[in-house]
Amino acid sequence: MRAIQMVDTKTQYLKIKNEVDAAVLKVMDSSAFINGKDVQDFALNLSQYLGVKHTIPCANGTDALQIALMALGLKPGDEVITPSFTFIATTEVIALLQLTPVFVEVDKDTFCITPEAIEKAITPKTKAIVPVHLYGQAAPMEAIMAIAQKHNLYVIEDNAQAIGCDYTFSDGTVKKTGNIGHISATSFYPSKNLGAFGDGGAIFTNDDALAEKLKRIANHGQSKRYYHDEVGCNSRLDSIQAAILNIKLQHLDEYNTARRAVAAYYDAAFANHPKIKTPVQASYAKHVYHQYTVLLENSTVRENLNKYLAEQGIPSMIYYPVPGHKQKMFDQLGVTNQEMEVTDWLTERVISLPIHTEMDEEQLSFITNHILTFLNQPI
Ligand SMILES: *Cc1c(COP(=O)(O)O)cnc(C)c1O
């Protein structure tokens, strides 16, 4: 059996090696390392894939979120509603820009921010909402956009974990996540569903004026070379990464299908088991399983399973062991003691199992058998 990994980017690469190697060599030969044709092609292809008007490639997903927030022209102290139960990048950039992250609860089944929690957190200072499509599951965007419209707020989707996810609105319209909010951000970190061979990210919008502003901010605030209209930053996607991503984009749907097949295998193996709760698929979207995250009875069981699996050569991860509102970096916000029952409950129970595009049945049966053996042992 091949060694089991949380993600296996090497095996995935070997399947497209010829194409990828040729594309990389071509960039080296052209030496158009910055903003070459591959970057422009990739932006166009990605726009087409998502059905979005503008794609602005940038250096990583964290920058994408930061640039998106910078484009809104907010003032220090303005409030941005976001889940506590997410990767730190989502909330960190809010604080970095001297805006105030307002942490709200997620749903215990979908792991995503809830419309009820958002409504409760709105104050006259609220300017934006940053929902996260966590683990590849879409946040309830239809309700979120309705709240945003009612209260005149911006919505920035954190789509770093859900690229390729289809969202169905109540009138039957289907859109990709990342094409629903006013702006959205994604990451091409190697382990993401669409992963580069290094860092990368992109920002999306259907708004022409915002697109111009996002482009300008990502490029030192300049609209014309050496004329800098506003304070921006330097955030670019390398041509080599774009060339690789152009190839991988053609496989994205197939990659997400492979992830869903792994999830279906796990779902079937653990179906109705009283000691493990498998991920719930929201009715409105097609999960793309960036992670396959289950819930266990408590943190002790989780620790024991994590150790037991490691002894069998099976990795497992806790995403994320500390929620945003308890991170030391936010001490000055005084939110450590904020009541976040669901978030705290989930934080103690979640564990993510290996899931990627290259898993085979032998590995899956090995993993599920060991987990069932662990769960079924008499205490
Ligand atoms: C990966 C990730 C990011 C940040 O992306 P980087 O490319 O690592 O900067 C932001 N938000 C979420 C939810 C992520 O998973």
Side-chain angles (χ1 to χ4, degrees), residues 115 131 133 138-149 155 157 167-173 180-181 284:
H133 305 312
M141 290 305 295
E142 185 163 4
I144 292 171
M145 294 312 290
I147 295 171
Q149 192 170 21
V155 176
E157 287 174 77
Y167 190 101
T168 307
F169 288 80
S170 47
D171 67 359
T173 313
I180 303 172
Y284 51 75

Side-chain angles (χ1 to χ4, degrees), residues 59-65 86-91 132-135 158-161 185-192 198-201 290 320:
N60 56 65
T62 308
D63 276 10
L65 287 163
T86 178
F87 178 55
I88 196 68
T90 320
T91 49
V132 181
H133 305 312
L134 201 71
Y135 305 146
D158 183 340
N159 198 29
Q161 301 191 359
T186 202
S187 163
F188 306 121
Y189 184 81
S191 65
K192 298 287 157 85
D199 278 310
H290 175 60
Y320 299 93

